[in-house]
Amino acid sequence: MEFIFLCSRVNVLILLLTLCSPYKFIQSPMDFGPLNLLQTTYESSRDFGRIVFNTPAAVLRPQSKTDISLLLSSLSASSLSRVTVSARGAGHSIHGQAQAVDGIVVEMESLPLEMDIHNREGKNEISFMDVSSGALWIEVLKESLKFGLAPRSWTDYLHLTVGGTLSNAGISGQTFKFGPQISNVLQLEVVTGQGEFVTCSRSENSELFYSVLGGLGQFGIITKARIILQKAPEKVKWIRAFYNDFDTFTKDQELLVSMPDSVDYVEGFKVLNEQSLHSSSVGFPGNIGFLPDFGTKEKPKVYFCIEFAVHDYQLEHINVDEVVRDISRQMSCMQAQFYSVEVSYFDFLDRVSMEEISLRKKGLWDVHHPWLNMFVPKSGIVEFKELLMEYISPDDFMGLILIYPLLRDKWDGNMSAVLPEVGSTDRFMYVVGVLQSASPDTCNHHCLHNLLQHQRLFAQTACDRIGAKQYLGHQPSPFHWRQHFSQRWDRFARRKSQFDRNYILGPGQGIFTNPQFASS
Ligand code: FAD
């Protein structure tokens, strides 16, 4: 996009857009009143993936929800407008999901930060925080800890916005116990695609509430969320245990997630090579004395690590060390490969920032991230693991492969998030995150293209053969999105026509095109 905006008043801008031929999508001038649209920035056209770079025509840095409502109601009122709008949280998507080519990016972090805690501890009521959607989870954590409280469900990395993760699901090692972050929201304030300002919950405007949670930014822009809080522990016992056998690893993971009264967090990862053992240990403050034999290039040996945690609630009748000992007796990890450390709750939740610092130092943070996350039915997890070994080569894989179980009954089927369709008897499903990095120094455009093609093929095979579903994923066309949603497509499309009837929101996902302009 070569055109540079020099104006700040949007009606002047629209006049320019109307006159300038590249902006054919705007057919008539619109009056946005006192809104300030700004010229595009590098940030607004990139994300963590560093794969897709779409330049918007302008950026809105809203100072209030009214700014967002004004923008969307003005666009929605003009049936001829083709301008699209994307909310951008922290821009940690992989495939341009928060971008809007030739449209308007709304930078949610500029909304004034509001965090109101309602502490109901001891009153037999639920404590919660009302928080503006552009807040980062790390800010939510710091504020709630001042009151001895914290949200129940997290993501591994906390420099993500509340609105961004609630538009996907928000999962981590607590999901087995409390469900994803979208299951831990009491109420939302949303500006719909029509610019209407709506408060919604399970009992009030519930259709919008369910649509927006996991809704990939398609139905409205979340401006505020009411997040459930609980009493925060002070300390956490953080444990890592190693396995040389996949079946024992998953059996023990399933054992741990079946003990929600004692266990507070469960994840796991694949140990492919020295690099993966070392990089996954950066945040873990214990000394890992595991020196595995990785075999040869022809006959590689891989290992697995379970990571789990037990919170110290400082209750007199609970001795955390005893709880951990009890649990460990029931596990079948490799002899002597059980490591335990005690850390503060804050450091535990913020553990990925240690990895970020280390990767930044090595120049490996701002690189391509062709990440792939999939939900895999339990019935297909062994086949998935085998397919994965055909897809990656252990000796040169750069990154981390996360594998951990989730419980289906912690997810609300009314919400928009898509899960594998499996028999009702399958209690568990797995999330597998293939979090690969590719440095531009060693992987050029052609190499990245090949990597993504290969990944696409792998994901499609896993969907077709095993019934796996992508999480945080990108689909190559609206047709593929339909396949992704399968039975849920009609509901998703109906909700779109209800809450964003002019198809203004979320163009970066590539799910919908406005049928009015489909053939032109
Ligand atoms: P963005 O990338 O800015 O936006 C994501 C989508 O949400 C876009 O479609 C955007 O339009 C929409 N959106 C943003 N804000 C709003 C809003 N206020 N209202 C409506 N729509 C909105 N995810 C997990 O679940 N668990 C993890 O453990 C985890 N770890 C991660 C670690 C790292 C290092 C990274 C980079 C990502 C991780 N993620 C994880 C993925 C992350 O949850 C998603 O990429 C999420 O979208 C990032 O939030 P964001 O604020 O950057 O959103």
Side-chain angles (χ1 to χ4, degrees), residues 8-20:
S8 61
R9 291 278 298 199
V10 79
N11 31 6
V12 180
L13 171 84
I14 294 302
L15 192 64
L16 278 174
L17 291 173
T18 315
L19 296 173
C20 295

Side-chain angles (χ1 to χ4, degrees), residues 122-171:
K123 292 189 189 153
N124 224 0
E125 288 174 42
I126 297 174
S127 298
F128 59 86
M129 176 194 276
D130 284 325
V131 57
S132 43
S133 66
L136 298 173
W137 284 101
I138 185 85
E139 294 170 321
V140 171
L141 175 62
K142 284 180 181 165
E143 183 63 18
S144 53
L145 281 181
K146 290 180 192 163
F147 297 80
L149 299 170
R152 310 190 298 188
S153 184
W154 293 96
T155 47
D156 293 348
Y157 182 56
L158 305 185
H159 292 258
L160 309 167
T161 65
V162 169
T165 69
L166 294 185
S167 299
N168 287 293
I171 57 168

Side-chain angles (χ1 to χ4, degrees), residues 476-488:
S477 70
F479 168 77
H480 290 88
W481 274 113
R482 240 170 241 231
Q483 279 192 328
H484 171 74
F485 281 99
S486 48
Q487 290 173 8
R488 294 173 176 225

Side-chain angles (χ1 to χ4, degrees), residues 1 45 228 299 304 316 365 442 451 455 461 469 507 520:
M1 186 65 51
S45 54
I228 297 176
K299 228 176 157 205
F304 302 90
E316 273 168 28
W365 184 258
T442 49
L451 229 150
Q455 183 186 86
T461 311
K469 292 284 180 190
S520 52

Side-chain angles (χ1 to χ4, degrees), residues 47-48 86-94 97-99 108 133-134 136 154-157 159-165 167-172 181 212 216-218 220-223 267 352 365 371 402 404 471-472 506 509:
D47 56 31
F48 184 77
S86 260
R88 184 182 196 273
H92 276 82
S93 293
I94 296 300
Q97 285 93 332
Q99 297 173 17
M108 300 307 293
S133 66
L136 298 173
W154 293 96
T155 47
D156 293 348
Y157 182 56
H159 292 258
L160 309 167
T161 65
V162 169
T165 69
S167 299
N168 287 293
I171 57 168
S172 185
Q181 289 180 323
V212 165
L216 308 175
Q218 297 303 304
I221 295 187
I222 304 166
T223 52
E267 287 204 5
V352 176
W365 184 258
W371 286 9
L402 291 175
Y404 58 93
Y471 171 54
L472 303 166
Q509 301 278 2

Side-chain angles (χ1 to χ4, degrees), residues 80 127 396 414:
L80 292 175
S127 298
D396 61 7
N414 288 318

Side-chain angles (χ1 to χ4, degrees), residues 26-47:
I26 296 186
Q27 307 279 326
S28 60
M30 283 166 281
D31 184 8
F32 289 76
L35 261 189
N36 265 345
L37 282 193
L38 305 173
Q39 64 184 54
T40 65
T41 57
Y42 174 59
E43 283 297 297
S44 61
S45 54
R46 66 158 202 101
D47 56 31

